[in-house]
Amino acid sequence: MLACLNNPIRKAAYIDLSMTDLLFTWTGLKAGRFYNQGLPIDPDLLGEPHYGVFKTKDHKYVALGVIEDHFWEEMCEYLGWDDFLCDSNFNTYLQRFERRSVILPRLRETLSRIEQDQLVNDLLSMGVPCSWVHSAWVQPGSLSFE
């Protein structure tokens, strides 16, 4: 990207940036703690209340990308979290971020009772951003790279 910005000849440039390349760059920085130092990867590293990777009933993992309020509402409806839906302290992302210590343990516990395929298929059918997490070594061309 910097090469495009610093090119005095071109007025415009097409940049093809793979999200997968970016993912491996970011993941490598975090995974280095584990592979090089033997330190555990902190599951709350980013501290996001409903964005991250979570273990399911069948000991697999799902990735959730629930940031926007309407995704939060859909997820809460699916999980039966009427108390959070009715509580005005959880209406906005910033409010939920402040209460992540309440949300994260409950989310982990709730998702640990649902199998991976059921959870991902159900949430995707509701438009909630999520996906299967297969492995860090998944081959290009697999569903993980769609």
Side-chain angles (χ1 to χ4, degrees):
M1 285 186 9
L2 292 176
C4 290
L5 291 173
N6 289 324
N7 186 340
I9 299 170
R10 291 190 153 184
K11 301 243 187 253
Y14 173 78
I15 300 173
D16 182 7
L17 180 62
S18 166
M19 289 179 66
T20 303
D21 289 341
L22 213 50
L23 169 73
F24 283 117
T25 301
W26 289 346
T27 307
L29 295 172
K30 305 299 182 199
R33 287 174 37 103
F34 173 74
Y35 292 114
N36 294 331
Q37 302 169 9
L39 299 173
I41 298 173
D42 182 1
D44 296 331
L45 188 63
L46 300 175
E48 298 289 340
H50 33 69
Y51 185 96
V53 176
F54 301 88
K55 195 172 189 176
T56 59
K57 179 179 181 178
D58 48 0
H59 303 285
K60 296 179 182 179
Y61 293 87
V62 297
L64 290 180
V66 179
I67 296 291
E68 296 163 16
D69 298 338
H70 65 281
F71 294 141
W72 164 255
E73 292 165 5
E74 291 290 334
M75 185 184 76
C76 285
E77 282 184 32
Y78 173 72
L79 298 175
W81 289 3
D82 296 332
D83 55 327
F84 281 169
L85 283 173
C86 295
D87 188 336
S88 62
N89 290 311
F90 293 91
N91 284 349
T92 68
Y93 173 77
L94 290 177
Q95 290 173 314
R96 294 189 297 274
F97 187 81
E98 291 171 357
R99 290 161 184 81
R100 62 191 176 275
S101 63
V102 173
I103 296 170
L104 272 170
R106 184 170 173 185
L107 185 59
R108 283 191 192 107
E109 195 278 324
T110 302
L111 298 185
S112 73
R113 292 184 275 129
I114 307 169
E115 292 191 355
Q116 183 195 54
D117 282 340
Q118 178 188 349
L119 180 63
V120 173
N121 287 324
D122 290 349
L123 288 176
L124 287 177
S125 74
M126 300 175 77
V128 176
C130 68
S131 70
W132 295 266
V133 175
H134 298 289
S135 162
W137 311 113
V138 165
Q139 296 295 318
S142 72
L143 291 175
S144 298
F145 286 91
E146 285 187 357

